[in-house]
């Protein structure tokens, strides 16, 4: 549970990788602050559990299955989210896989799978949802990338680190291209999965809020960005 409040009533969100971890924490936070949330995960049982937790708390949610590395599944996921809620105002690309092998031992399947999910999957989701947002007057896209992407942490593995660095570049370029469509694109540099999910969820709430309406193309370190810290302190 987050310790801040944002009015997201009337907004709809699609969160990928929302069956567990950071994605689940963000989905719960968005719903707790009034958004209707489409909860997507490769594992539909995990998506169902997150959606049920939202509904049990009085929120609105639906569970969706998709492998984001498959463009057709992404398109179907988006259409089902639109059918459920009528539109998409917020996209959170939280899906990620980590294979922590050292460079000399990474096989081709492991490398390709990490890039296809973490990079190509985020591209598919961003491109297809942005087309919807452009037609509907704008929106907010948030990508999650490990903070280790800027530190080249050996334990995280080269595939994961490369993907994280690519997401930062994708965020900045997408922000440039989508600004004319009133679509903001930002990235949260997340701590390791074992650390605070609450700070990441709070950062996502900040980026969805009116306090961040002028921010795009930014990489916000959860709990470490000055604008976020000021807003977080005032919102408590």
């Amino acid at each position: 549970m987050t310790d801040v409040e944002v009015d997201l009533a009337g907004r709809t969100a699609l969160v990928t990788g929302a069956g567990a971890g950071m994605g689940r924490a963000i989905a719960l936070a968005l719903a707790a602050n009034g958004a209707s949330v489409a909860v997507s995960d490769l594992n539909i049982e995990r998506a169902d559990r997150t959606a049920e937790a939202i509904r049990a708390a009085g929120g609105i949610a639906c569970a969706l299955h998709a492998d984001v590395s498959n463009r057709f599944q992404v398109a179907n996921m988006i259409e089902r989210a639109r059918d459920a809620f009528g539109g998409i105002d917020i996209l959170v690309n939280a899906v990620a896989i980590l294979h922590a092998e050292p460079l000399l031992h990474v096989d081709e399947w492991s490398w390709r799978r990490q890039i296809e999910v973490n990079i190509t999957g985020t591209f598919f989701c961003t491109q297809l949802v942005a087309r919807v947002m452009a037609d509907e007057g704008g929106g907010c896209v948030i990508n999650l990338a490990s903070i280790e992407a800027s530190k080249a942490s050996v334990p995280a593995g080269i595939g994961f680190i490369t993907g994280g660095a690519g997401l930062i570049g994708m965020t900045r370029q997408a922000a440039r291209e989508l600004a004319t469509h009133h679509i903001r694109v930002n990235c949260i540099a997340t701590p390791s999965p074992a650390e605070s999910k609450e700070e990441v969820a709070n950062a996502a709430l900040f980026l969805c809020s009116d306090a961040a309406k002028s921010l795009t193309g930014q990489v916000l370190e959860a709990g470490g960005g000055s604008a976020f810290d000021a807003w977080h302190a005032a919102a408590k």
Side-chain angles (χ1 to χ4, degrees):
M1 184 64 65
T2 60
D3 55 0
V4 297
E5 294 184 1
V6 172
D7 184 7
L8 298 178
R11 300 190 197 181
T12 63
L14 169 60
V15 183
T16 68
M22 303 292 184
R24 176 183 169 89
I26 292 172
L28 292 172
L30 293 174
N33 285 271
S36 299
V37 182
V39 177
S40 174
D41 201 273
L42 181 63
N43 185 322
I44 189 61
E45 293 181 356
R46 294 196 306 192
D48 281 330
R49 286 195 290 269
T50 299
E52 180 54 37
I54 290 172
R55 290 191 289 265
I60 301 172
C62 67
L64 303 174
H65 167 269
D67 178 347
V68 297
S69 70
N70 184 309
R71 185 180 181 88
F72 296 103
Q73 291 191 32
V74 171
N76 179 259
M77 171 188 71
I78 292 167
E79 286 308 306
R80 291 173 63 195
R82 295 180 72 190
D83 288 344
F85 301 131
I88 301 174
D89 303 299
I90 298 164
L91 168 66
V92 180
N93 289 305
V95 66
I97 58 173
L98 164 63
H99 297 160
E101 309 103 330
L103 183 150
L104 296 180
H105 297 148
V106 177
D107 63 28
E108 180 179 356
W109 180 88
S110 177
W111 170 262
R112 288 185 180 277
R113 184 59 180 161
Q114 289 179 89
I115 297 303
E116 287 171 0
V117 171
N118 300 352
I119 292 291
T120 304
T122 297
F123 167 72
F124 286 157
C125 291
T126 300
Q127 183 189 57
L128 297 181
V129 171
R131 288 175 179 173
V132 174
M133 290 178 173
D135 288 341
E136 296 178 349
C140 171
V141 177
I142 300 172
N143 297 325
L144 267 59
S146 172
I147 199 169
E148 302 300 327
S150 62
K151 298 179 180 179
S153 172
V154 174
I158 192 167
F160 189 69
I161 293 301
T162 300
L167 285 175
I168 291 171
M170 186 188 301
T171 295
R172 290 171 173 157
Q173 182 62 24
R176 293 187 188 98
E177 296 192 25
L178 297 176
T180 58
H181 299 287
H182 307 289
I183 300 170
R184 297 186 294 112
V185 187
N186 292 290
C187 180
I188 301 174
T190 68
S192 68
E195 297 181 33
S196 176
K197 298 179 181 68
E198 181 178 300
E199 281 299 316
V200 176
N202 282 333
L205 289 175
F206 166 66
L207 290 173
C208 292
S209 74
D210 290 340
K213 63 183 178 182
S214 63
L215 295 182
T216 192
Q218 302 301 305
V219 179
L220 184 70
E221 184 174 329
S226 58
F228 167 71
D229 287 340
W231 173 82
H232 191 186
K236 285 185 178 180

